[in-house]
Amino acid sequence: MLRLPLIAALTLLAGSAVAEQQNFAMMLGNRQLGTLAFNGSGSDVHLVSRLDNTPLGVADGTFEAVTRSKGETVEYLGSNRGSKTRDIALTREGTKVTAVTVTPADEMTNLSDVASVPDGTLTTAEIFGVLANGTTCPNPLTMYDGRRVVQMATTAMNKSAEMVTCDMSYRVTAGKGHLSPFNFKSLSMTAVYRSGALAQITVSAGGFDLNLVRQ
């Protein structure tokens, strides 16, 4: 389904780190499609999403993403297991991606060449970490997952005493779109923070709203 944008989805703020595991339900309307678990902060983060109740089981499977830092070096591994099996490993030195491996090779795109990757990108896991550990709407961020570059930005913010609602844009600016054969390159996102913690993310595309709800 729309797993990558959510896990992606996925948003990114400046806020205090949260060390304990955070758990979310992935919902399509009243139907729970699966779960997402996240822990860590900064460039030392780990997330696992499990889809086990998608319509007809067509998108059932797992996505696991781990980012670890060693000084100026950041290493990332993302693994899909389901209708497709795909592993993506990348290395970043400072702000520059220096190595990318996509397995199997036919899952590569033109953005799987490090020469095509702009400086200053974050991994899928880091992006979700900024979102999950944040307290308010994020500054613009750029994500690179080994196959595409995505620009994410807050377009509007509504604030009350207890809640902050962030309308966001999600645009694939280079590489392959999401969810073949539709190849979505522009998604709408909303992130809701209650009492200084992420409460919900909604990703909208193709007439569907996928919600990530804190448990």
Side-chain angles (χ1 to χ4, degrees):
M1 305 288 292
L2 299 177
R3 182 164 53 224
L4 274 174
L6 256 186
I7 293 173
L10 339 72
T11 23
L12 341 118
L13 312 93
S16 58
V18 180
E20 67 271 14
Q21 180 167 296
Q22 301 182 58
N23 298 303
F24 300 85
M26 302 179 73
M27 307 292 298
L28 184 65
N30 293 324
R31 180 182 185 132
Q32 182 169 344
L33 304 179
T35 59
L36 185 147
F38 171 84
N39 59 65
S41 63
S43 294
D44 292 287
V45 286
H46 179 206
L47 69 84
V48 180
S49 80
R50 293 183 173 86
L51 294 175
D52 55 15
N53 190 37
T54 62
L56 302 178
V58 295
D60 285 2
T62 62
F63 172 74
E64 183 170 10
V66 181
T67 302
R68 292 289 178 256
S69 61
K70 301 175 182 177
E72 287 293 305
T73 301
V74 173
E75 296 179 345
Y76 165 85
L77 177 62
S79 299
N80 283 282
R81 296 293 183 271
S83 58
K84 282 191 175 182
T85 295
R86 180 171 60 240
D87 294 312
I88 298 177
L90 67 85
T91 301
R92 191 177 70 232
E93 301 287 347
T95 62
K96 186 175 182 61
V97 175
T98 57
V100 180
T101 302
V102 179
T103 307
D106 61 6
E107 290 290 306
M108 297 173 65
T109 73
N110 60 314
L111 263 293
S112 301
D113 178 0
V114 294
S116 301
V117 183
D119 287 355
T121 63
L122 297 177
T123 69
T124 302
E126 289 173 303
I127 288 289
F128 189 80
V130 180
L131 240 189
N133 294 335
T135 61
T136 189
C137 302
N139 294 322
L141 291 180
T142 304
M143 183 181 74
Y144 175 62
D145 65 2
R147 305 177 75 225
R148 60 182 63 82
V149 173
V150 176
Q151 297 282 347
M152 303 173 70
T154 300
T155 58
M157 178 175 72
N158 292 310
K159 190 174 183 179
S160 65
E162 294 292 327
M163 185 168 67
V164 178
T165 301
C166 312
D167 294 332
M168 301 184 63
S169 63
Y170 178 108
R171 295 185 302 110
V172 178
T173 57
K176 185 176 177 62
H178 290 292
L179 194 61
S180 179
F182 302 105
N183 291 322
F184 292 120
K185 290 198 171 186
S186 181
L187 307 172
S188 296
M189 293 180 60
T190 302
V192 177
Y193 292 85
R194 292 192 179 94
S195 301
L198 177 66
Q200 180 172 320
I201 302 171
T202 300
V203 178
S204 303
F208 294 95
D209 292 336
L210 182 65
N211 295 294
L212 190 66
V213 181
R214 182 179 291 275
Q215 296 182 304

